[in-house]
Amino acid sequence: KRGPAMKRASSPDYEPEPESEGEDYEEEDNNDETYGAPPSAPGSAPAPMSSSSSSSSSTTSTSSAPPPLFSTIYMGAPSSSVITPPKVKKPRHVVTPLESKINALTREQLIETSSSFFQKHPSLVDEFLALLPEPDMDQKLQELKKLERQYQKLYPNSRYGSSSDTYSYNRVVKGLGPFKKALVDHGVSLKSSKSWRPLLKYVSHAIELADNMPNWNDASKNKSKQSALSSLDGHGTAAVKGLGVTLSVEEWEEVKAEVERVSGHNKRHLGDTFAEIEKMIEKRKAADAKSPKKKK
């Protein structure tokens, strides 16, 4: 049997009754009682918030607000003693038409053109030579170091055998040839141009690279290294002779100390060079002793 409520719901003319406003008000009352906030009377001042609600709202507002910039990063106090200089832009170099044409020439063309020009104008030779800078040693040494790295890459894996046996020599000798040729040729070019000071500087730096060449178990295969060391020592001796007695005793002492400092423990390979320096110092001392002293 169905009850009256079920009969009314099943009839076609049944419409549900609207909910009363009292029920909504009671539900709101229940909700307010649940959260501990009683409804305020109309026209009265709002009730003060409890400490728990204020703390929760402040916590929520604090966590939801974005933190200030760099709040967690300590940048440190600005130092008044450190002054950063302003960046100065380098003036842009304007390439002249003459420089453009010179850059397009090969080395051989430039040498030939310069020689023919100064043959027609010999009075300008001394002025032009005075403007020439010293040869760039850094570029020559960088080239040698690059060739050194290339032949060092040719070594086989050491775990398969010795790095100084015949097998290693047959692999590395392919790169040693260009390295030794460049090592000697740079000295020859400086010597032929009579650039004595740059030549002595080159010898002081390049002697280490020559000493780093491998030592092979077979002594006959070490002739290339000994030839390179001997060649550099010969270039150093030629540079000292080229400078001659033009330097004072103090200047020769400075040259000697500089060559010793740069060559380091490899100065043992420059025996003839240091012997020639000692000769020049003695010659200079003898020349100073013979020269008449200026009367005050």
Side-chain angles (χ1 to χ4, degrees), residues 164 169 214-226:
S164 57
Y169 170 80
N215 294 313
W216 307 109
N217 295 336
D218 189 353
S220 62
K221 295 181 172 60
N222 294 324
K223 293 180 180 180
S224 179
K225 178 177 180 178
Q226 297 300 326

Side-chain angles (χ1 to χ4, degrees), residues 137-188:
M137 291 295 100
D138 294 336
Q139 183 179 3
K140 297 180 184 297
L141 294 174
Q142 289 298 328
E143 179 185 350
L144 290 177
K145 290 179 181 179
K146 180 179 179 180
L147 293 172
E148 182 185 42
R149 291 192 295 268
Q150 289 179 358
Y151 82 71
Q152 287 177 348
K153 292 180 180 179
L154 298 176
Y155 276 101
N157 197 324
S158 59
R159 64 181 179 179
Y160 296 127
S162 173
S163 59
S164 57
D165 55 7
T166 303
Y167 175 71
S168 299
Y169 170 80
N170 292 333
R171 287 176 57 92
V172 179
V173 71
K174 300 176 183 179
L176 274 177
F179 170 78
K180 185 204 169 183
K181 185 178 184 303
L183 183 75
V184 176
D185 287 350
H186 289 332
V188 172

Side-chain angles (χ1 to χ4, degrees), residues 237-251:
T237 304
V240 175
K241 290 181 178 179
L243 289 172
V245 292
T246 57
L247 302 181
S248 63
V249 176
E250 292 78 11
E251 289 174 333

Side-chain angles (χ1 to χ4, degrees), residues 4-242:
M6 295 182 65
K7 289 181 179 180
R8 287 196 303 268
S10 59
S11 64
D13 298 333
Y14 172 77
E15 292 183 0
E17 297 180 358
E19 295 180 355
S20 64
E21 295 180 357
E23 293 176 354
D24 293 338
Y25 181 78
E26 291 177 0
E27 184 179 353
E28 290 179 358
D29 276 349
N30 294 337
N31 291 340
D32 290 341
E33 289 175 359
T34 304
Y35 289 95
S40 57
S44 62
M49 297 178 63
S50 63
S51 60
S52 61
S53 62
S54 62
S55 62
S56 62
S57 62
S58 63
T59 305
T60 306
S61 62
T62 305
S63 60
S64 60
L69 191 61
F70 303 121
S71 60
T72 58
I73 302 176
Y74 176 69
M75 303 302 292
S79 176
S80 59
S81 60
V82 179
I83 300 176
T84 305
K87 294 183 179 180
V88 179
K89 293 184 178 181
K90 295 182 179 180
R92 184 178 179 182
H93 176 68
V94 180
V95 180
T96 62
L98 177 61
E99 291 177 339
S100 300
K101 291 184 178 181
I102 291 177
N103 288 331
L105 297 177
T106 62
R107 180 173 179 269
E108 291 75 13
Q109 287 177 324
L110 184 58
I111 294 174
E112 183 180 356
T113 304
S114 301
S115 300
S116 61
F117 175 81
F118 288 112
Q119 286 177 0
K120 296 178 181 179
H121 305 280
S123 60
L124 300 176
V125 173
D126 293 337
E127 183 180 355
F128 180 77
L129 292 176
L131 296 174
L132 288 178
E134 290 187 351
D136 188 2
M137 291 295 100
D138 294 336
Q139 183 179 3
K140 297 180 184 297
L141 294 174
Q142 289 298 328
E143 179 185 350
L144 290 177
K145 290 179 181 179
K146 180 179 179 180
L147 293 172
E148 182 185 42
R149 291 192 295 268
Q150 289 179 358
Y151 82 71
Q152 287 177 348
K153 292 180 180 179
L154 298 176
Y155 276 101
N157 197 324
S158 59
R159 64 181 179 179
Y160 296 127
S162 173
S163 59
S164 57
D165 55 7
T166 303
Y167 175 71
S168 299
Y169 170 80
N170 292 333
R171 287 176 57 92
V172 179
V173 71
K174 300 176 183 179
L176 274 177
F179 170 78
K180 185 204 169 183
K181 185 178 184 303
L183 183 75
V184 176
D185 287 350
H186 289 332
V188 172
S189 64
L190 293 172
K191 181 180 178 180
S192 61
S193 65
K194 297 183 179 181
S195 303
W196 305 124
R197 280 184 176 272
L199 176 58
L200 196 57
K201 180 181 178 181
Y202 170 76
V203 169
S204 303
H205 286 84
I207 195 68
E208 180 182 2
L209 298 175
D211 186 63
N212 290 339
M213 293 175 68
N215 294 313
W216 307 109
N217 295 336
D218 189 353
S220 62
K221 295 181 172 60
N222 294 324
K223 293 180 180 180
S224 179
K225 178 177 180 178
Q226 297 300 326
S227 174
L229 293 171
S230 177
S231 176
L232 290 177
D233 194 14
H235 290 327
T237 304
V240 175
K241 290 181 178 179

